[in-house]
Amino acid sequence: MFELHQLEQLIAVAECKTLSAAAEKLHLSQPALSRSMQKLEAELQVPLFTRHKNKIELNENAKMAVDYARKILWQSRDMMEHLRAFDLSRRTIRVGSCAPMPMWDVLPVLSSLYPAMTISSEIKEEEALLQGLLDGTYQFVFLPYEITENGIQCKKYMEEHLFFSLPPGHALSGRKVLHLRDLNGETMLLYSDIGFWKKALEKEMPETHFLVQTEFSTFHELVKASVLPSFITNLAIKKEEETSNRINIPIDDPEASATFYLACSSETAKTYRKFLQYCFSD
Amino acid sequence: MFELHQLEQLIAVAECKTLSAAAEKLHLSQPALSRSMQKLEAELQVPLFTRHKNKIELNENAKMAVDYARKILWQSRDMMEHLRAFDLSRRTIRVGSCAPMPMWDVLPVLSSLYPAMTISSEIKEEEALLQGLLDGTYQFVFLPYEITENGIQCKKYMEEHLFFSLPPGHALSGRKVLHLRDLNGETMLLYSDIGFWKKALEKEMPETHFLVQTEFSTFHELVKASVLPSFITNLAIKKEEETSNRINIPIDDPEASATFYLACSSETAKTYRKFLQYCFSD
DNA sequence: GTAAGTTACGAGCGACGTAAAAATG
DNA sequence: CATTTTTACGTCGCTCGTAACTTAC
C-alpha cells in the first residue's frame, strides 16, 4: 500500500508542474522526490508520468490520482482535527450559569476533584443554558428554576439573597429592610457579570446610575474605598462582614432572591458522581 | 502526519483487542506494534489507549479514530482499484461488431499499429453496439447501417456478400445464382459466431439442419473434409479459392449482403487517426 | 550554459526483532 | 506460570543527499 506522504508529494508535483520545484516546496532533494514518485507508480502499478528525457508530465492516470489524493488527505486532516477537538472536549468540564455565585462556588470544587480536567465556565441567558445542556455544550448548568426533562437530573443547589451594602453614613443605613426601588436614582457601584440579576435591576431601578466594573478585584477595592452603595449577597457576606465596615440590609423584593438549580444529564451525573455527592452532601 | 500503515495497525488492534494478536495478524513483532501505536498517538496528539500494566484498551478517541481510519483506508483501496481499472481501460482498444468479418479484418491492423495496446473485441446486437459506442464501452463499432449522431463519425467500411460453398457433386453446384431458400431443409455446416447474419438464416432457412461449430479451425477442417454445403463470403473467397475444390455460388437475397459502417467518436478518431487513415486509404 | 530528470553511491535515521523486566490472573 | 505490555539494545533497510550523467532549450 502507498503512504500519505507520497500522496502529498504527488499533489505537490501536480501543483508545481516540475519535480525540482515540488522538491524545493517539500524541503526534499529532487532525486529523492524522483525516486519516491517512481515508487508510488510501482505501488499503484500504474504509470503516472509521461517521461521525456528531461521533462515529466502528469498523464491522465495522475490527474485522477491527484483528485483521489486530495480527497484522502482532506479526510486525514479532518480526522486529526475532529479527534483533537473530541479529545479536548472529553477533558474539559463545561459549566454554564445564569449568575456568577453558584459558579464561583463550584469551580474550585471541580478543579480540585478533577485536577486533570480543564474547567470552562460561562454566564449565559437561561434559554441558551437549557439549549446547551441538551446539545452537550454544557455538562452542568445553573438555572434559577427547576426543570424536568428526560434524561436530565435537576436539584436545588443554593439560595441567593441580595443585600444593599451601604456605608454607615448613608441615609437608609438604619433600616431593617429595603426594596430595590428605595435606592432607585442613586449612584451605585456594580460588578458587570451578574447574569440574570441584571433583569431585576433594569426593571426595578431604571433611573439608577450604575458605575459598572468589569474587573471584580477593582470593583471590590472601589467598594471598600468609597461610600457608594453596592450590592452584596448572603453568600458573600460571611467573609466580608468582619473586614468591611459596611452595613448590609436585606432587600425584600421577590426579584432580589433566587433559588439556583444544578442540572446535568444522567450520563454526566454518573461520570462526575463524586462532584454531585460533594455538592449535595450538606 | 500519520501514515496509512499506522491506520491499518490501529484497526487490527481494534479488531484483535490485544497488541500481541494484532501483531501476529500483521506479521509484526509485538514490541514493534507497541511502538508504532505510541508514535501514532504522538502524531495525532491524542491518547488512544487506556494503559494498564499488562493490558491496553481502546478509549473513546480510538473508537472515533478507527471509524475515520476505516473510511480513509477504504478510500485508499478504492483509489487503487479505480486507478488500475482506468489505466487498463486506457490501454485497451475495444471493438464491437455485428458480424465477424470486419472485426477479423481490422484486429491485425490495430495490433500492429498499436502494439502496446490490448485489443478486446466482441460481437453484439446492433442496439448494444450503439449503446456501447455512446457510453464509451467501445471505441469502435461495426454496424450494418449508417448512423448520424452528434460527435460520432460513421463511414462505410466494406461490403460482404454471402455465397453458398458447395461440393462439385452437389445438385445445385451448376447454378450461377442461388437463393437462401434453395438450400432450406438441407444439412449445412455453420460457424457459430456469425453475428447479425443469424437473423437472415433463421428467417429464410428455418428448416435447415445446421451443424454448428464454435471453433473456427474445426469448422474450416470439416468444410474441407466433408461434402456438406456451407457459407462463405466474398471476403474469404480469395484465399480459399485456390486451395479448396469447392464451388462458390452467390446468393441473390438482399439479406445475404450487408454494408458495414465503422463508427467512433470524434475524440477517438483523433487519437487513432493512423488507424482510420489505414482503413479508408484504399 | 542552464535547468530538469535519472542513476549511482555512501551515510544516517528509523523501524524492526530479540531480549529483559514488570505485572496480572 | 503463562500472557501481555513496555523498555533497552543492536542490526538492517529505507530514504535521504551529494555527485555524476544525459538531455533539451
Side-chain angles (χ1 to χ4, degrees), chain B residues 102-168:
Chain B
M103 220 162 61
W104 288 352
D105 201 46
V106 122
L107 292 187
V109 177
L110 280 172
S111 43
S112 69
L113 279 179
Y114 310 102
M117 305 289 282
T118 304
I119 321 285
S120 94
S121 60
E122 288 181 328
I123 291 178
K124 288 273 181 177
E125 307 258 306
E126 288 108 61
E127 309 87 60
L129 295 174
L130 204 47
Q131 163 88 26
L133 176 65
L134 296 177
D135 71 14
T137 306
Y138 302 113
Q139 266 97 56
F140 298 103
V141 300
F142 286 107
L143 291 166
Y145 45 76
E146 194 165 12
I147 57 166
T148 54
E149 183 80 36
N150 238 342
I152 301 290
Q153 294 188 7
C154 186
K155 207 169 171 185
K156 176 178 171 180
Y157 179 70
M158 61 160 54
E159 290 183 6
E160 185 172 20
H161 304 287
L162 288 191
F163 290 65
F164 282 119
S165 168
L166 303 180

Side-chain angles (χ1 to χ4, degrees), chain A:
Chain A
M1 180 72 94
F2 56 85
E3 291 294 347
L4 290 183
H5 73 267
Q6 293 173 299
L7 298 189
E8 284 178 338
Q9 292 170 356
L10 174 63
I11 290 174
V13 175
E15 286 171 351
C16 299
K17 306 289 188 188
T18 132
L19 283 187
S20 334
E24 189 174 2
K25 178 177 177 179
L26 294 164
H27 307 292
L28 208 66
S29 73
Q30 186 273 337
L33 183 57
S34 174
R35 278 190 305 264
S36 187
M37 290 298 93
Q38 288 170 25
K39 198 179 172 203
L40 179 59
E41 285 178 299
E43 276 158 350
L44 291 174
Q45 298 172 11
V46 151
L48 297 173
F49 306 97
T50 61
R51 293 181 154 75
H52 311 82
K53 289 291 177 183
N54 78 344
K55 181 153 76 172
I56 60 169
E57 284 173 355
L58 282 73
N59 64 16
E60 292 298 313
N61 291 336
K63 284 168 190 162
M64 184 180 234
V66 166
D67 288 342
Y68 275 105
R70 285 215 171 87
K71 213 187 296 181
I72 291 171
L73 281 174
W74 185 88
Q75 273 213 26
S76 302
R77 301 203 175 96
D78 191 56
M79 169 177 172
M80 287 196 61
E81 277 179 35
H82 280 88
L83 265 183
R84 285 174 185 166
F86 179 65
D87 181 59
L88 187 61
S89 82
R90 284 203 320 137
R91 51 185 79 252
T92 73
I93 304 174
R94 286 173 302 281
V95 184
S97 178
C98 62
M101 259 307 158
M103 220 162 61
W104 288 352
D105 200 47
V106 122
L107 292 187
V109 177
L110 280 171
S111 43
S112 70
L113 279 179
Y114 309 103
M117 305 289 281
T118 304
I119 321 284
S120 94
S121 61
E122 289 180 327
I123 291 179
K124 288 275 180 175
E125 306 257 306
E126 288 107 59
E127 308 87 59
L129 294 174
L130 204 47
Q131 163 86 28
L133 176 66
L134 297 176
D135 71 16
T137 306
Y138 302 113
Q139 266 96 57
F140 298 103
V141 301
F142 286 106
L143 292 166
Y145 45 76
E146 194 165 12
I147 58 167
T148 55
E149 185 79 36
N150 238 341
I152 300 291
Q153 293 188 8
C154 186
K155 207 168 170 185
K156 176 178 170 180
Y157 179 70
M158 60 161 52
E159 288 183 5
E160 185 170 20
H161 305 286
L162 288 192
F163 290 65
F164 282 121
S165 168
L166 303 180
H170 193 278
L172 299 173
S173 65
R175 302 276 281 272
K176 278 273 170 293
V177 160
L178 285 170
H179 289 84
L180 289 169
R181 292 268 168 202
D182 294 336
L183 266 79
N184 187 27
E186 293 203 24
T187 295
M188 291 188 70
L189 279 170
L190 186 69
Y191 175 58
S192 58
D193 296 338
I194 56 174
F196 93 123
W197 294 116
K198 187 167 279 180
K199 282 188 278 185
L201 270 47
E202 284 166 357
K203 181 182 159 213
E204 297 293 326
M205 308 181 72
E207 277 96 32
T208 309
H209 183 214
F210 291 115
L211 306 178
V212 177
Q213 301 297 312
T214 56
E215 280 285 322
F216 186 77
S217 57
T218 72
F219 164 75
H220 192 230
E221 290 302 316
L222 286 175
V223 168
K224 284 199 292 188
S226 77
V227 295
L228 292 170
S230 63
F231 292 102
I232 194 166
T233 86
N234 60 317
L235 301 164
I237 282 174
K238 300 158 200 163
K239 24 185 178 178
E240 287 301 316
E241 226 155 29
E242 311 96 41
T243 61
S244 84
N245 59 346
R246 292 213 162 207
I247 298 166
N248 301 320
I249 301 171
I251 304 173
D252 203 26
D253 309 62
E255 292 91 342
S257 287
T259 306
F260 295 112
Y261 295 83
L262 175 54
C264 66
S265 76
S266 324
E267 189 66 30
T268 76
K270 201 153 47 178
T271 74
Y272 296 105
R273 200 168 41 82
K274 269 189 186 173
F275 167 62
L276 293 176
Q277 273 178 1
Y278 183 95
C279 281
F280 301 115
S281 58
D282 33 41

Side-chain angles (χ1 to χ4, degrees), chain B residues 52-265:
Chain B
H52 311 81
K53 288 290 174 184
N54 77 342
K55 182 154 73 173
I56 61 169
E57 284 174 354
L58 282 73
N59 65 16
E60 292 299 312
N61 291 335
K63 285 169 189 161
M64 184 180 234
V66 166
D67 288 342
Y68 276 104
R70 285 215 171 87
K71 214 186 296 179
I72 291 171
L73 281 174
W74 185 89
Q75 273 212 27
S76 302
R77 300 202 175 96
D78 191 57
M79 169 177 171
M80 287 195 63
E81 275 179 37
H82 280 88
L83 264 184
R84 285 175 185 165
F86 179 65
D87 181 60
L88 187 62
S89 82
R90 284 205 320 136
R91 50 185 79 253
T92 74
I93 304 175
R94 286 173 302 281
V95 184
S97 178
C98 62
M101 258 308 157
M103 220 162 61
W104 288 352
D105 201 46
V106 122
L107 292 187
V109 177
L110 280 172
S111 43
S112 69
L113 279 179
Y114 310 102
M117 305 289 282
T118 304
I119 321 285
S120 94
S121 60
E122 288 181 328
I123 291 178
K124 288 273 181 177
E125 307 258 306
E126 288 108 61
E127 309 87 60
L129 295 174
L130 204 47
Q131 163 88 26
L133 176 65
L134 296 177
D135 71 14
T137 306
Y138 302 113
Q139 266 97 56
F140 298 103
V141 300
F142 286 107
L143 291 166
Y145 45 76
E146 194 165 12
I147 57 166
T148 54
E149 183 80 36
N150 238 342
I152 301 290
Q153 294 188 7
C154 186
K155 207 169 171 185
K156 176 178 171 180
Y157 179 70
M158 61 160 54
E159 290 183 6
E160 185 172 20
H161 304 287
L162 288 191
F163 290 65
F164 282 119
S165 168
L166 303 180
H170 194 278
L172 299 172
S173 64
R175 302 277 279 272
K176 278 276 170 295
V177 163
L178 286 169
H179 289 86
L180 289 170
R181 290 266 168 200
D182 294 335
L183 266 79
N184 187 27
E186 294 203 23
T187 295
M188 291 188 70
L189 280 171
L190 185 70
Y191 177 58
S192 58
D193 296 338
I194 57 173
F196 93 123
W197 294 115
K198 188 168 280 179
K199 281 188 280 187
L201 268 48
E202 284 166 355
K203 182 182 160 216
E204 298 294 326
M205 308 181 75
E207 277 96 34
T208 308
H209 183 214
F210 290 115
L211 305 178
V212 177
Q213 301 299 311
T214 56
E215 281 285 323
F216 187 77
S217 57
T218 72
F219 164 74
H220 193 229
E221 290 301 315
L222 286 175
V223 168
K224 284 199 293 187
S226 77
V227 295
L228 291 169
S230 63
F231 292 100
I232 193 164
T233 85
N234 59 318
L235 301 164
I237 282 175
K238 301 157 201 163
K239 24 186 178 177
E240 288 300 316
E241 228 155 30
E242 312 92 44
T243 61
S244 85
N245 59 347
R246 291 206 162 217
I247 297 165
N248 301 321
I249 301 171
I251 304 173
D252 204 26
D253 309 62
E255 291 92 343
S257 286
T259 305
F260 295 113
Y261 294 83
L262 175 54
C264 66
S265 75

